[in-house]
Amino acid sequence: MSFNKSKYIILIVLAILMLSSCNSKNNEEEGVTEIIEEKVSNTITFTKEQYQLAGIKTGRVTQKNLSSVIKLNGKIEVDPTNKAVVSAQLGGYIKSAGLIVGTPVKKGQVLAIIENVEFITIQQEYLESIGELQFLEEEFKRQKELREQDINSKKTFQKVTSEYKMLKAKVNGLEQKLALIGINKHNVQAGTISRTASLFAPINGYIKSSNATIGDYVAPTDEVFEIVNTDKIQLELNVYESNLSYLSIGQKVRFSLANETGFNRLAVIQQIGKASGNDRVIIARCTIDKESTSNLLPEMYVKANVESNPTEQQVIPSDAIVQFNNKNYLIIENGKSNDIINFNLLEIKKGIEQDGFIAIESSEKELKDSESIVVENAYAVISLLRNSLEGEEE
């Protein structure tokens, strides 16, 4: 029994020693934390030489109008009136096509030549119908005069009139068919019959896609060319229903391409959709500022910031804010004496960021406009603070 009691006593003593060690370690860590927190509030000192080598520059807080920002995505598109698809209305085989993607074209320019034996049939039928129409037109005039003199019967005149109108409608229909396939009716009337027809550009622009290969057959439903006019591009933004209430016509938009860093391109909201699709997204169309259209092409993806509710706020340059111990600080220059420059850290809470400036939402003490703030190479001061703390911990 005495042996068992001794064993229990030893175990109890060991447990007490372990608890004591843990408490001691925790106290040491708490002490380090207190030292760090205490150092953050203490003065950081630079010599004149350190100050010059670090390239530190100071500035002051300013008042600036900043807007709350809504972040959206979208893409560059062209107005529906500035893009067109070219098809072969009656189908046929591609005989010649020399246009490649990116080629500029003008309205009315020949894009390709289509060959189809049906073209010959249509032209023959048109010529025959014109000849019949000329004869029937003379007969119609003659029967009309006879009817006015009450020489022929009313039934005979009505029959001729009906035949004349039907044939005239047929001729008009054939002329429209010739226009659709790109054959000039005057050439046909002069006796020129062609087995080929031309595909013309309906608008000015550039060839966006081309499916014209010599010898290929294209059906009436096939898209032979797609043309876009990039002179009138616009920005289309995807807006979720939750952001819709913050948008309005005339709002400014700052946007950039996916591979650009700054939001330096400008646009203005011109139209906001009234209905959303299955993805609950509404399209907002924006007019792009002329100076922001360089290197923009249809279907390029963009990221955008929409500005709303501008208010005057206290701001500082973005580079003036430094992070330390997961908190944001400004570095305040706190006097110079005998080649010594002193700095203090001021904890702040960041607000809106825009155009290289950040609004100061709040600070641990009042930030006066007259105070000198480090705006360039502020991290040099923080590096000195970190080195000092690491040295003390060691």
Side-chain angles (χ1 to χ4, degrees):
M1 290 296 291
S2 61
F3 175 75
N4 289 335
K5 287 181 179 180
S6 299
K7 183 169 70 173
Y8 287 134
I9 291 170
I10 292 171
L11 289 173
I12 292 169
V13 170
L14 287 173
I16 292 170
L17 289 173
M18 288 177 68
L19 288 170
S20 176
S21 175
C22 289
N23 288 335
S24 175
K25 185 175 181 180
N26 289 337
N27 289 336
E28 288 178 2
E29 291 177 351
E30 289 175 1
V32 171
T33 302
E34 289 175 358
I35 290 172
I36 291 174
E37 291 179 350
E38 184 181 352
K39 279 289 180 182
V40 170
S41 63
N42 286 344
T43 299
I44 306 162
T45 302
F46 263 54
T47 65
K48 186 176 181 180
E49 184 179 4
Q50 287 175 320
Y51 187 92
Q52 292 173 344
L53 288 173
I56 294 171
K57 291 185 179 180
T58 59
R60 303 184 189 280
V61 293
T62 57
Q63 300 292 325
K64 190 177 180 68
N65 281 328
L66 296 186
S67 307
S68 57
V69 174
I70 302 167
K71 297 183 180 295
L72 301 172
N73 294 315
K75 62 179 180 178
I76 304 298
E77 272 294 355
V78 295
D79 188 275
T81 59
N82 287 283
K83 57 183 177 181
V85 171
V86 180
S87 302
Q89 297 296 332
L90 297 180
Y93 292 90
I94 302 291
K95 186 177 180 181
S96 67
L99 299 180
I100 59 175
V101 173
T103 303
V105 295
K106 293 184 177 181
K107 183 178 180 179
Q109 179 179 335
V110 175
L111 304 178
I113 304 296
I114 304 292
E115 188 176 54
N116 191 334
V117 293
E118 189 179 348
F119 299 161
I120 299 174
T121 303
I122 294 171
Q123 293 170 85
Q124 286 177 332
E125 188 178 358
Y126 176 64
L127 281 176
E128 292 170 359
S129 298
I130 286 178
E132 293 176 9
L133 183 62
Q134 289 173 349
F135 169 79
L136 202 55
E137 186 176 9
E138 293 299 324
E139 180 64 14
F140 168 74
K141 290 179 180 178
R142 190 177 72 86
Q143 291 294 334
K144 185 179 180 182
E145 289 178 359
L146 292 173
R147 183 59 196 154
E148 288 174 352
Q149 297 174 14
D150 200 19
I151 297 174
N152 63 349
S153 66
K154 184 177 180 180
K155 184 177 181 180
T156 301
F157 176 68
Q158 288 177 337
K159 182 180 179 182
V160 172
T161 301
S162 176
E163 290 174 354
Y164 171 69
K165 288 182 177 179
M166 288 175 62
L167 189 56
K168 190 174 182 180
K170 181 180 179 181
V171 170
N172 288 336
L174 289 170
E175 287 179 349
Q176 293 301 316
K177 190 175 286 189
L178 289 172
L180 280 174
I181 61 180
I183 295 177
N184 191 311
K185 69 176 183 178
H186 298 295
N187 293 338
V188 180
Q189 291 171 4
T192 302
I193 295 178
S194 175
R195 63 183 181 183
T196 61
S198 300
L199 296 182
F200 298 98
I203 61 171
N204 296 331
Y206 293 83
I207 301 294
K208 181 183 177 184
S209 65
S210 173
N211 299 308
T213 303
I214 295 175
D216 275 0
Y217 177 81
V218 290
T221 55
D222 292 340
E223 180 183 301
V224 184
F225 296 100
E226 184 179 2
I227 302 173
V228 295
N229 186 346
T230 56
D231 292 338
K232 296 182 180 180
I233 55 177
Q234 61 183 9
L235 174 61
E236 290 190 357
L237 297 177
N238 300 321
V239 183
Y240 289 99
E241 292 176 350
S242 57
N243 290 327
L244 193 59
S245 60
Y246 299 102
L247 302 184
S248 60
I249 305 298
Q251 271 181 300
K252 291 183 180 179
V253 178
R254 294 182 178 272
F255 71 99
S256 67
L257 298 176
N259 61 343
E260 294 176 341
T261 54
F263 292 83
N264 299 319
R265 300 178 186 265
L266 299 177
V268 176
I269 295 178
Q270 194 73 27
Q271 183 185 57
I272 300 174
K274 301 299 182 182
S276 62
N278 295 331
D279 53 2
R280 317 299 292 177
V281 170
I282 295 169
I283 300 299
R285 291 180 173 83
C286 311
T287 301
I288 301 173
D289 186 82
K290 288 184 178 180
E291 295 181 358
S292 300
T293 57
S294 61
N295 301 321
L296 295 183
L297 294 173
E299 297 188 6
M300 281 184 167
Y301 287 96
V302 302
K303 49 191 177 180
N305 289 337
V306 181
E307 304 172 4
S308 62
N309 302 324
T311 55
E312 189 175 69
Q313 302 180 55
Q314 195 176 44
V315 301
I316 40 88
S318 302
D319 292 340
I321 294 181
V322 293
Q323 284 194 329
F324 188 75
N325 290 344
N326 298 320
K327 296 179 180 179
N328 295 312
Y329 291 94
L330 291 180
I331 300 174
I332 311 297
E333 187 178 290
N334 190 20
K336 301 178 182 178
S337 60
N338 299 325
D339 293 335
I340 297 297
I341 300 95
N342 297 318
F343 298 98
N344 288 108
L345 297 188
L346 177 66
E347 185 181 347
I348 66 163
K349 185 177 179 181
K350 295 194 298 184
I352 300 168
E353 184 171 358
Q354 186 179 320
D355 296 335
F357 290 90
I358 295 179
I360 301 172
E361 189 172 310
S362 62
S363 58
E364 60 183 347
K365 71 173 186 178
E366 183 183 358
L367 183 60
K368 299 178 181 179
D369 293 344
S370 60
E371 291 189 283
S372 190
I373 300 169
V374 177
V375 295
E376 286 189 28
N377 296 317
Y379 272 100
V381 181
I382 290 297
S383 296
L384 182 65
L385 176 61
R386 285 199 179 102
N387 293 336
S388 174
L389 291 174
E390 287 174 1
E392 289 191 9
E393 287 177 17
E394 291 176 1

